[in-house]
Amino acid sequence: MDFEGAGAVVTGAGNGIGKLIAKKLASQGAKVAAWDIDGPAVRETVKEIRDMGREGACFEVDCGDFEQVAKASKASMRFLGRLNILVNNAGVVAGKNFEELSEIEIDRVFKVNALSLFWTNKAFLKYLKQSRRSISVTVASAAGLIGSARLTAYSASKFAAVGFTSSFRNELKKEKCQVRTLLVCPFYINTGMFEGVKTKIPFLLPILKPESVADKIVEAINKGKERLILPPFAALAGFVANCPVFLADRIENIFGINSCMDEFVGRKKEND
């Protein structure tokens, strides 16, 4: 995909890999509509894009709210003119034991991590179909391939994101639609969202650098990939999850999957 002149919407673009993806796409010629619930943060992202001499516009949006998404999508299309790239990156985490999770936290995690995929794709699919080359990107998580202690809400929402993207991809292909999909499942990323997480075997499952993840996502979009799991070793998560339970539990404990969140503190802001 040639990014020069392409229209792109990136959610969760105020911080972390969302911000990096938005800037990376803009640096390669894309016109970017940056979305985030954090108004000051997303305005800073767009300022940095414009400082590069590129085109960007900011939209303060709660992606878990269908009405806000519908309204922002129309405003975004007035700015963009056309849409080639939709990056669903907005995400929140509630890193607590199940019994400690509040109803509000559970509801919020599912609205942002799972339901937002329905709202944004519903709002933008008709525009993606109008472009000869277009793609819908879901930034899910390796936690959507295998569950982990202290991540019941987050992991369940990311399983939903993986399932949505798989079904959506097959549906588009069955319809012989030119819109492609890309599913991204990274291990923990050092963005602050997962502040305090640890890895038992860093040479196989390192805490990922956000710059590297953003570069690989943009590269995957460019090359037309349909799945990106980071690091590659994390692709074994799907295999482990389908092993007999006694064996899966043993393997997960060997690799420290259920202890990663033991020292999790996160950050005060919800958005990634």
Side-chain angles (χ1 to χ4, degrees):
M1 180 181 290
D2 183 2
F3 296 139
E4 189 64 45
V9 172
V10 182
T11 71
N15 297 281
I17 60 170
K19 178 174 184 173
L20 292 169
I21 291 169
K23 291 176 64 177
K24 185 78 172 179
L25 290 172
S27 72
Q28 296 187 28
K31 193 175 182 180
V32 177
W35 288 23
D36 204 288
I37 195 172
D38 186 336
V42 76
R43 285 193 286 274
E44 177 60 28
T45 297
V46 170
K47 179 183 180 298
E48 293 177 23
I49 287 174
R50 291 173 178 171
D51 286 346
M52 294 189 294
R54 301 295 184 174
E55 293 183 90
C58 58
F59 299 87
E60 188 172 338
V61 190
D62 179 353
C63 293
D65 185 312
F66 173 72
E67 291 185 359
Q68 288 192 37
V69 169
K71 182 178 179 180
S73 66
K74 294 175 182 177
S76 296
M77 289 310 302
R78 286 195 293 271
F79 166 70
L80 294 172
R82 68 171 182 172
L83 184 64
N84 304 91
I85 304 165
L86 170 60
V87 181
N88 287 288
N89 167 74
V92 296
V93 62
K96 299 178 180 179
N97 288 329
F98 173 73
E99 288 185 308
E100 298 171 349
L101 287 170
S102 70
E103 292 84 354
I104 292 174
E105 287 172 320
I106 295 168
D107 183 68
R108 182 66 182 155
V109 168
F110 273 87
K111 280 183 175 177
V112 177
N113 295 357
L115 285 178
S116 67
L117 300 173
F118 290 83
W119 307 154
T120 58
N121 280 289
K122 270 193 169 294
F124 285 116
L125 183 57
K126 60 184 177 182
Y127 302 112
L128 290 169
K129 285 184 173 181
Q130 291 170 7
S131 298
R132 187 170 63 88
R133 293 183 179 179
S134 57
I135 186 168
S136 174
V137 182
T138 299
V139 181
S141 170
L145 304 174
I146 191 168
S148 169
R150 299 195 73 194
L151 282 178
T152 50
Y154 181 81
S155 185
S157 70
K158 292 301 185 178
F159 265 83
V162 171
F164 167 81
T165 307
S166 177
S167 183
F168 188 42
R169 180 189 71 245
N170 288 324
E171 188 173 298
L172 292 171
K173 287 183 176 180
K174 184 178 180 181
E175 295 174 356
K176 301 188 185 306
C177 177
Q178 86 285 359
V179 180
R180 296 183 291 109
T181 64
L182 168 62
L183 174 65
V184 183
C185 293
F187 191 58
Y188 299 108
I189 307 172
N190 185 24
T191 61
M193 182 177 176
F194 279 100
E195 185 68 32
V197 296
K198 304 292 183 182
T199 178
K200 185 177 180 181
I201 309 179
F203 68 95
L204 290 177
L205 291 171
I207 304 299
L208 301 170
K209 296 180 180 179
E211 294 81 3
S212 176
V213 174
D215 285 345
K216 284 181 169 61
I217 290 173
V218 172
E219 181 184 8
I221 294 171
N222 179 262
K223 292 184 176 181
K225 290 185 177 181
E226 294 181 296
R227 181 179 295 139
L228 177 64
I229 300 177
L230 298 169
F233 184 79
L236 291 176
F239 168 77
V240 174
N242 287 292
C243 286
V245 174
F246 77 92
L247 181 58
D249 288 349
R250 184 171 297 180
I251 295 173
E252 289 176 38
N253 289 329
I254 289 172
F255 288 100
I257 300 301
N258 291 312
S259 60
C260 290
M261 294 288 292
D262 286 354
E263 298 178 41
F264 169 81
V265 293
R267 64 182 176 201
K268 292 182 179 180
K269 289 183 179 179
E270 286 187 326
N271 52 297
D272 185 7

